[in-house]
Amino acid sequence: MKLKLAFLTFIIFSTASFGQGNSKFKVVLDPGHGGKDYGAIYHGFIEKNIALNVALKVGKLLEKDPAVDVIFTRKTDVFIELTERPNIANKADANLFVSIHCNGEVKKTAFGTETFVIGTTKNASQLEVAKKENSVITLEKDYKVKYAGFDPNAPETLIGITIQQEAYRSQSIDLASRVEEIFKEDLNRNKRGVKQAPFWVLHKTAMPSILIEMGFISYLPEGTYLNSDEGQDDMAKAIAKAILSYKKEYFVNGDNSQDETPVIVIDKKQPKVEKPEVVEKPSKNTESNTPAASAKGVVFKVQIAASGKTLELVPSNFNGLSNITKDASSAVIKYYYGDTSEYNNAKELQEQAKAKGYSSAFIVAFKDGKKITVQEALKK
């Protein structure tokens, strides 16, 4: 039974992550809120409008790639039930689900971007974000029946993440990390990092999924930026660039056609949002054990898991595998098995990890301690 379950999980993962036949890379863009659900409102800035504008711009950029099929949960100012958003992605058999939002808080001092994956957390601020985004269900008829007793005011009660989502967790974190890095490196945005929280919309998707909080419209300088055409263009380019980067590494176009992925150029910019007088304290989770940090040249590792839980790096915690390293530089910790400079050896390590039950294990690459794509590593 366990063998069948592991095999099923592997098939699901492979289909969603790598593509098959001549199928296109399907991306579902989910502009948060809409219609009677305005989302956050501060200083005249309305979350539903900003999210829609950015999502439409992202879609236009992605559609320049003939191998990408873009699907929207909404393209106009309409109300879409929360439960319907992941259904759209699941019915489309999408490769990625990207939900786009703006943040807000009553003190009006917090600023910066953060990108979420599904997960449990005891962090109050992360639970508050999930609470706000999940609260839309109260606008729906019979929500207590449709959501099986889920309490949007207590998002930590969302438990029982499915096997599928566990299989996609590592890929979700990878995409979220790309988004946050591009926000920081290309736009000089304040990067609050990759986080996890119990979002209903991510809980029900059957593919790698992330929820992007583009910034706090409650903080006037950041809200002004996100509400501007320039700011929305910037954010759209950054999100599209991250998605295409992910596609280039994980998706194989079955017709073996030449890669026509468009290059998205983002002008290096000075910080557009000044720091407020009161700055939030950084997360206590500052432990960092970055893989290959001291290694020179190209190193391949196998990512076997990602979790908010810190585990001692002993074989008993990893189904008997040894030579485990971790990256605890964000709230979601990544665990890696092995390291080698040879790609063929890395494939053997990947098979060893799968044989130990890590059916969604995948190869990652580093150059002088910095993560790069596997394709870039092979060229080097």
Side-chain angles (χ1 to χ4, degrees):
M1 180 63 182
K2 289 183 178 179
L3 183 60
K4 289 182 178 179
L5 190 58
F7 179 73
L8 176 61
T9 302
F10 171 71
I11 293 299
I12 293 171
F13 164 77
S14 300
T15 301
S17 296
F18 295 95
Q20 57 183 349
N22 295 324
S23 61
K24 289 189 175 184
F25 185 76
K26 298 179 182 178
V27 180
V28 172
L29 298 177
D30 174 46
H33 310 281
K36 62 184 177 182
D37 174 22
Y38 282 67
I41 304 176
Y42 292 90
H43 313 295
F45 310 137
I46 302 174
E47 179 182 1
K48 68 170 184 176
N49 295 338
I50 296 173
L52 179 59
N53 290 342
V54 172
L56 292 174
K57 290 175 183 289
V58 173
K60 286 184 178 180
L61 292 168
L62 294 179
E63 286 169 346
K64 292 180 180 180
D65 186 336
V68 174
D69 184 12
V70 180
I71 301 154
F72 293 89
T73 58
R74 69 181 181 99
K75 296 184 72 173
T76 58
D77 184 20
V78 294
F79 178 75
I80 305 293
E81 293 187 350
L82 194 61
T83 189
E84 181 59 20
R85 296 172 188 263
N87 286 344
I88 292 171
N90 294 339
K91 290 175 183 177
D93 192 23
N95 297 90
L96 286 181
F97 177 85
V98 179
S99 192
I100 298 173
H101 294 256
C102 298
N103 224 329
E105 54 90 35
V106 293
K107 292 182 180 179
K108 302 179 182 179
T109 56
F111 73 108
T113 68
E114 49 193 19
T115 303
F116 287 87
V117 300
I118 186 67
T120 57
T121 180
K122 294 182 180 179
N123 183 285
S125 64
Q126 288 165 220
L127 286 173
E128 185 61 27
V129 175
K131 177 181 175 180
K132 287 186 293 186
E133 302 299 358
N134 289 335
S135 65
V136 62
I137 71 172
T138 60
L139 298 177
E140 302 176 25
K141 294 181 180 179
D142 301 324
Y143 77 88
K144 291 184 178 180
V145 175
K146 283 191 293 185
Y147 293 90
F150 169 65
D151 182 2
N153 293 314
E156 64 273 20
T157 62
L158 185 62
I159 58 176
I161 298 174
T162 67
I163 294 173
Q164 290 172 319
Q165 289 158 334
E166 284 294 341
Y168 301 129
R169 180 187 291 270
S170 293
Q171 286 70 43
S172 299
I173 292 170
D174 192 342
L175 175 59
S177 299
R178 292 169 194 254
V179 171
E180 285 293 297
E181 285 301 317
I182 293 172
F183 283 161
K184 174 65 177 178
E185 297 300 322
D186 288 21
L187 298 178
N188 289 318
R189 299 295 308 282
N190 177 43
K191 183 182 75 172
R192 294 166 63 94
V194 177
K195 302 179 179 180
Q196 58 180 346
F199 293 94
W200 179 275
V201 73
L202 301 183
H203 172 66
K204 287 296 182 180
T205 54
M207 71 285 303
S209 304
I210 63 172
L211 187 147
I212 302 170
E213 295 284 359
M214 298 184 290
F216 289 78
I217 58 175
S218 50
Y219 181 55
L220 184 57
E222 190 156 65
T224 301
Y225 171 65
L226 292 174
N227 199 54
S228 69
D229 288 336
E230 181 183 9
Q232 290 170 14
D233 285 341
D234 287 347
M235 299 306 290
K237 288 178 181 178
I239 294 169
K241 183 176 179 179
I243 292 171
L244 291 174
S245 170
Y246 176 96
K247 166 188 169 283
K248 187 174 182 179
E249 180 163 355
Y250 290 103
F251 183 72
V252 178
N253 193 0
D255 61 6
N256 295 317
S257 61
Q258 186 177 359
D259 184 15
E260 299 181 59
T261 302
V263 176
I264 296 178
V265 179
I266 306 176
D267 295 333
K268 293 285 185 178
K269 299 176 182 293
Q270 295 299 314
K272 291 188 173 295
V273 181
E274 296 179 356
K275 294 182 179 180
E277 294 181 2
V278 180
V279 180
E280 289 191 339
K281 294 181 180 180
S283 169
K284 292 182 179 179
N285 184 10
T286 57
E287 177 187 4
S288 180
N289 183 12
T290 304
S294 60
K296 297 297 182 181
V298 172
V299 173
F300 296 100
K301 288 176 175 275
V302 177
Q303 185 166 326
I304 59 173
S307 171
K309 185 177 181 180
T310 299
L311 298 174
E312 187 179 354
L313 304 182
V314 294
S316 59
N317 284 335
F318 298 93
N319 297 345
L321 293 175
S322 57
N323 192 14
I324 302 294
T325 54
K326 67 179 178 180
D327 178 0
S329 59
S330 66
V332 182
I333 302 169
K334 303 172 189 176
Y335 293 92
Y336 301 91
Y337 168 55
D339 64 83
T340 177
S341 60
E342 298 294 331
Y343 182 66
N344 286 335
N345 292 342
K347 290 194 290 185
E348 292 180 6
L349 292 171
Q350 183 184 29
E351 291 305 314
Q352 293 171 16
K354 289 181 178 180
K356 289 290 187 178
Y358 295 100
S359 59
S360 62
F362 61 99
I363 298 171
V364 294
F366 300 87
K367 174 71 164 59
D368 298 333
K370 183 177 180 181
K371 190 173 182 182
I372 60 175
T373 69
V374 172
Q375 285 81 357
E376 288 172 331
L378 292 175
K379 289 179 181 179
K380 295 178 185 301

